[in-house]
Amino acid sequence: MGSSDAITFVRFAAPHALLMFDWLRRPHVAEWWDDPPRLNEIVVEYVVAPKVAPYIVHLDGRPIGFIQSYVAATAGDGWWPDITDPGVVGIDQFIGEPDLLGKGIGTAMVRAFIERLFADPGVTMIQVDPSPDNARAIRCYEKAGFHARGVVDTPDGPALYMTTLASES
């Protein structure tokens, strides 16, 4: 990543649904996500009734991936039942464009997003929960300032629980 590379976040809107539909079916993304949703399900989940704050990530104006944040304490559906601090924010993301993998862009994207989240003084901690088998994601999170706290059970199966505080990132 050169210093001229600009990462920006655009709030997910209906025109992004087809791009998301495509990305979720690409092998490097699909291996870490459950059955990909239908197009109308993407619109409902991310535009009509989002339970998360979803964004399309752009690199120098090119849409390259997806990132979302959510308040862990209110995630529901069996997610994070032991978290009560409303300042704990979870994030999930992926790079949709395979030609951009392995170039440090994911780390830069995560760093930029956590900096944006920590700009809110109410955010006390940010968490991620990659599959313990997803070595690429784990390395990315470590480089972005996350620390492994242990393997936890989630509705999607085992996950490596990783966190960062503003002072650590």
Side-chain angles (χ1 to χ4, degrees), residues 21-111:
F21 179 86
D22 178 50
W23 283 338
L24 289 172
R25 284 157 177 76
R26 293 186 178 179
H28 75 281
V29 177
E31 79 176 294
W32 304 112
W33 286 65
D34 287 334
D35 296 329
R38 296 189 306 266
L39 190 58
N40 65 321
E41 292 171 331
I42 291 171
V43 172
V44 168
E45 185 169 348
Y46 297 109
V47 180
V48 177
K51 295 179 183 176
V52 298
Y55 297 89
I56 294 295
V57 182
H58 287 83
L59 177 63
D60 291 331
R62 173 187 175 194
I64 64 160
F66 172 81
I67 197 161
Q68 68 182 16
S69 65
Y70 59 90
V71 175
T74 61
D77 296 327
W79 288 95
W80 317 118
D82 298 333
I83 296 179
T84 57
D85 178 350
V88 176
V89 174
I91 62 172
D92 303 292
Q93 63 281 313
F94 61 81
I95 292 176
E97 301 299 329
D99 63 305
L100 299 179
L101 299 175
K103 298 182 178 184
I105 294 168
T107 301
M109 175 177 90
V110 170
R111 282 183 180 150

Side-chain angles (χ1 to χ4, degrees), residues 116-133:
R116 174 188 177 117
L117 292 172
F118 279 135
D120 177 346
V123 175
T124 58
M125 185 173 78
I126 299 172
Q127 66 180 35
V128 292
D129 59 336
S131 164
D133 299 327

